[in-house]
């Protein structure tokens, strides 16, 4: 099962080298067939130069694209999700806030369980956050509580971008609507509403060492709300038109 790792990157020239090196080393050490797909989201710094150097000298599994626009976190992830070659795909952050060892756990869980997706949770037993801003934490827990109550689900970390999907799952939850960080909510909620199976694995999150966060909370409230309402409407009013199609064996005609 080939693993693709989609990484959106905007002005991440400092974060990318350590992130890509440890990601490549970890996946290689575990013997996981993989590709690392970075979408340079029209960066204004040396991100593209860094990617060119790493691909040519250190990381043979690295492929990269430049998204000419429109730009934004959601657009960058979507650009990668249209181009990956693996059997499954994870969304991973360029700032190494996600742990490559957790990605290995996600991959093994998918192999063992045969599930359609694996979702990370920073708040389950075994999960942890390091240097998480207190205000951001409060907003996160409120937002996830609202999502759980509205959608009637138990999963407690929908806004966590770090998730793994089978190729068939990604194809089944298209088309994508979100241009920004609300894509992190759209992907799992559509998968749940459309009947794809998932497992939850605790994961860790560490605040970035370089640069600044691209998530602007004050700009995202209405966008998260839009996607939440879209998924709620689909759940109750779509008559199952978009649900996962079960594999069925066609009846056979027997000649007598």
């Amino acid at each position: 099962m080939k693993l693709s790792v989609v990484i959106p990157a905007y002005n991440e020239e400092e974060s990318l080298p350590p992130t890509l090196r440890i990601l490549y080393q970890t996946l290689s050490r575990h013997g996981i067939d993989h590709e690392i797909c970075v979408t340079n989201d029209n960066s204004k710094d040396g991100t593209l130069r860094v990617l060119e150097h790493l691909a040519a000298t250190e990381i043979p599994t690295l492929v990269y694209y430049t998204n000419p626009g429109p730009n934004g976190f959601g657009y960058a992830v979507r650009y990668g999700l249209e181009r990956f070659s693996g059997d499954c795909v994870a969304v991973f952050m360029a700032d190494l806030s996600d742990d490559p060892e957790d990605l290995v756990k996600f991959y093994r869980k998918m192999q063992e369980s045969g599930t359609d997706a694996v979702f990370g949770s920073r708040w389950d037993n075994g999960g942890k956050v390091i240097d998480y801003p207190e205000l951001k934490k409060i907003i996160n827990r409120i937002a996830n509580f609202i999502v759980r109550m509205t959608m009637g689900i138990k999963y407690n970390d929908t806004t966590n971008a770090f998730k793994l999907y089978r190729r068939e799952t990604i194809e089944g939850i298209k088309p994508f609507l979100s241009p920004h960080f609300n894509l992190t909510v759209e992907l799992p909620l559509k998968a749940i509403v459309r009947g794809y199976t998932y497992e939850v694995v605790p994961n860790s999150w560490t605040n970035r060492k370089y640069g600044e966060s691209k998530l602007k909370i004050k700009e995202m409230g209405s966008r998260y709300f839009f996607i939440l309402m879209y998924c709620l409407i689909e759940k109750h009013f779509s008559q199952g038109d978009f649900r996962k199609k079960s594999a069925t064996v066609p009846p056979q005609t027997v000649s007598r």
Side-chain angles (χ1 to χ4, degrees), residues 177-244:
L177 304 175
S178 303
H180 301 289
F181 277 87
N182 47 343
L183 186 69
T184 64
V185 173
E186 178 182 354
L187 298 182
L189 288 186
K190 274 187 175 178
I192 293 171
V193 166
R194 295 185 183 184
Y196 290 90
T197 60
Y198 67 95
E199 298 281 346
V200 179
V201 173
N203 74 284
S204 63
W205 183 94
T206 304
N207 202 3
R208 64 166 55 239
K209 295 181 180 179
Y210 309 103
E212 61 179 19
S213 172
K214 310 305 185 293
L215 173 60
K216 308 301 180 185
I217 294 176
K218 63 181 181 181
E219 300 174 3
M220 289 307 303
S222 62
R223 290 174 172 135
Y224 279 123
F225 182 75
F226 164 73
I227 287 299
L228 178 59
M229 290 300 99
Y230 176 91
C231 293
L232 183 66
I233 290 170
E234 180 177 313
K235 177 180 180 179
H236 291 291
F237 298 102
S238 68
Q239 300 290 321
D241 289 339
F242 306 105
R243 286 186 65 83
K244 176 185 176 182

Side-chain angles (χ1 to χ4, degrees), residues 48-75:
L48 181 58
R49 184 178 64 251
V50 167
L51 290 171
E52 292 171 342
H53 174 75
L54 290 173
T57 62
E58 295 186 46
I59 305 177
T61 58
L62 173 61
V63 294
Y64 57 90
Y65 315 97
T66 293
N67 175 24
N71 300 119
F73 175 88
Y75 284 125

Side-chain angles (χ1 to χ4, degrees), residues 38-241:
V38 179
T39 300
N40 168 36
D41 199 31
N42 230 349
S43 298
K44 304 302 187 290
D45 64 354
T47 293
L48 181 58
R49 184 178 64 251
V50 167
L51 290 171
E52 292 171 342
H53 174 75
L54 290 173
T57 62
E58 295 186 46
I59 305 177
T61 58
L62 173 61
V63 294
Y64 57 90
Y65 315 97
T66 293
N67 175 24
N71 300 119
F73 175 88
Y75 284 125
V77 173
R78 287 161 58 179
Y79 202 86
L81 291 179
E82 293 293 345
R83 290 162 175 80
F84 75 94
S85 66
D87 303 298
C88 57
V89 60
V91 178
F92 196 88
M93 294 296 100
D95 59 9
L96 201 57
S97 55
D98 304 317
D99 187 340
E101 291 291 346
D102 286 333
L103 179 56
V104 174
K105 294 177 185 176
F106 286 17
Y107 179 83
R108 299 301 185 206
K109 173 62 74 172
M110 179 170 283
Q111 281 186 315
E112 294 163 4
S113 66
T115 189
D116 296 320
V118 178
F119 298 163
S121 175
R122 298 163 289 186
W123 314 105
D124 279 358
N125 290 335
K128 64 179 179 180
V129 294
I130 300 171
D131 194 24
Y132 204 100
E134 191 61 32
L135 176 60
K136 186 176 179 180
K137 179 179 179 180
I138 293 171
I139 294 173
N140 176 288
R141 302 321 301 141
I142 292 174
N144 276 283
F145 176 79
I146 292 172
V147 171
R148 285 169 55 205
M149 294 299 101
T150 302
M151 298 300 297
I153 59 177
K154 294 182 179 181
Y155 178 51
N156 65 1
D157 202 7
T158 306
T159 59
N160 182 0
F162 188 26
K163 296 177 172 70
L164 176 66
Y165 302 88
R166 288 188 185 274
R167 172 176 288 277
E168 294 80 4
T169 308
I170 288 295
E171 293 301 319
I173 60 179
K174 290 180 178 178
F176 304 132
L177 304 175
S178 303
H180 301 289
F181 277 87
N182 47 343
L183 186 69
T184 64
V185 173
E186 178 182 354
L187 298 182
L189 288 186
K190 274 187 175 178
I192 293 171
V193 166
R194 295 185 183 184
Y196 290 90
T197 60
Y198 67 95
E199 298 281 346
V200 179
V201 173
N203 74 284
S204 63
W205 183 94
T206 304
N207 202 3
R208 64 166 55 239
K209 295 181 180 179
Y210 309 103
E212 61 179 19
S213 172
K214 310 305 185 293
L215 173 60
K216 308 301 180 185
I217 294 176
K218 63 181 181 181
E219 300 174 3
M220 289 307 303
S222 62
R223 290 174 172 135
Y224 279 123
F225 182 75
F226 164 73
I227 287 299
L228 178 59
M229 290 300 99
Y230 176 91
C231 293
L232 183 66
I233 290 170
E234 180 177 313
K235 177 180 180 179
H236 291 291
F237 298 102
S238 68
Q239 300 290 321
D241 289 339

